[in-house]
Amino acid sequence: MGRNGQRGCGQSTPRGELAANSLQHSIADMEALRRHLGIERWLVSGGSWGSTLALAYAQAHPERCLGLFLVGAWLCRKRDTRWWFHGVRALFPELWEAFAGAVPPEERGDLRAAYCKRILGDDPEIAAEFATRLFLYEEGFMHFDAPLTPPDPARGRDYGRIFAHFAAHDFFVDDDQLLRDAHRLAGIPVHIITGRYDCCTTPENAFDLAQAVPHAVLEIVPGAGHYPTEPTFARAVARAAQGFAARVGGW
């Protein structure tokens, strides 16, 4: 599962569909796929939002997991969402000001509500505009190295719509739920790797999760941001994944 692990975000259809689209539906999709393929137990992995889904799946079905490998863990706590919509200003002030400046001053205290209202509203032109703004805002602070090609704004409408739907519902988890249920990972090998300068799923997410899972291996990669496709992070993730696979094989 990648960062666009929700229904309707990638190749699944209909694109941008909100009905029957939640974290719990995605967990059920994974279970349906596992049963369809006849897999008794499998290694579960995900990055960014995919890490949230992988973690929630492992907590719901620990008996089905050989191991859990997370890249850029995200716990979806209120503090994490607040960072995403507001805290980013500390490092990307010009990007944040442009993002916040699209809504009236009286609404800037809660940008999540302001953007969700417009993206999920009844005006399709406003919805498309703000969904694209949200997408480009995220793309603006996720990269440690400058991307080789600029992000495609055409992806923004559907991505932003799905993101707003999940954000409006607190990503379908209770605050601290993923830490509270961490005890369900007892006996499952866990490896968490994150970039030191990840401004999207900040390293404190991975650190706090590792604190709640004492047997977890935590790796914070210097000189890396959010994207595991960037050279420094890619090499570290590849090494960690190979080592983890060998570890799980001998568990």
Side-chain angles (χ1 to χ4, degrees):
M1 296 291 176
R3 74 171 196 170
N4 296 343
Q6 304 96 333
R7 291 179 174 185
C9 253
Q11 298 301 314
S12 59
T13 56
R15 289 182 63 85
E17 178 59 57
L18 304 185
N21 195 348
S22 69
L23 174 63
Q24 290 70 34
H25 284 99
S26 295
I27 291 172
D29 287 345
M30 292 176 67
E31 266 298 273
L33 179 62
R34 182 191 63 78
R35 290 192 298 268
H36 174 73
L37 296 174
I39 298 172
E40 184 65 22
R41 299 175 68 208
W42 54 1
L43 193 154
V44 179
S45 178
S48 195
W49 165 257
S51 76
T52 309
L53 175 55
L55 176 59
Y57 173 88
Q59 292 177 355
H61 301 282
E63 73 285 356
R64 299 302 180 188
C65 297
L66 289 170
L68 183 62
F69 185 82
L70 304 179
V71 181
W74 199 41
L75 300 176
C76 296
R77 298 167 295 184
K78 291 179 181 177
R79 63 193 287 179
D80 305 319
T81 303
R82 182 76 183 175
W83 164 266
W84 202 96
F85 281 97
H86 292 271
V88 166
R89 186 184 188 280
L91 295 175
F92 294 87
E94 75 290 359
L95 178 70
W96 184 88
E97 288 291 346
F99 179 68
V103 302
E106 61 271 18
E107 295 186 59
R108 293 175 194 168
D110 188 349
L111 289 174
R112 177 174 70 159
Y115 266 77
C116 288
K117 179 176 73 174
R118 288 162 174 80
I119 294 171
L120 302 175
D122 296 328
D123 188 319
E125 291 187 5
I126 290 177
E129 175 194 346
F130 276 82
T132 301
R133 284 181 177 274
L134 184 146
F135 169 73
L136 293 176
Y137 167 68
E138 183 185 42
E139 284 289 328
F141 65 75
M142 284 202 301
H143 298 272
F144 184 75
D145 297 320
L148 296 177
T149 57
D152 179 7
R155 294 187 56 218
R157 184 183 64 181
D158 293 326
Y159 171 78
R161 176 175 165 81
I162 299 291
F163 187 99
H165 168 66
F166 273 70
H169 291 87
D170 295 319
F171 298 92
F172 298 94
V173 295
D174 295 331
D175 198 36
D176 286 330
Q177 175 183 328
L178 297 174
L179 289 180
R180 185 185 67 232
D181 292 345
H183 64 93
R184 296 182 60 80
L185 304 178
I188 300 174
V190 178
H191 192 110
I192 311 165
I193 184 168
T194 190
R196 170 65 70 189
Y197 303 105
D198 186 340
C199 293
C200 183
T201 56
T202 55
E204 70 170 348
N205 286 263
F207 182 84
D208 292 347
L209 179 58
Q211 293 290 101
V213 185
H215 67 276
V217 174
L218 171 64
E219 185 176 355
I220 301 178
V221 183
H226 183 74
Y227 265 91
T229 54
E230 294 176 351
T232 298
F233 203 17
R235 288 190 290 268
V237 170
R239 285 194 300 268
Q242 290 171 351
F244 186 64
R247 175 188 170 203
V248 170
W251 188 267

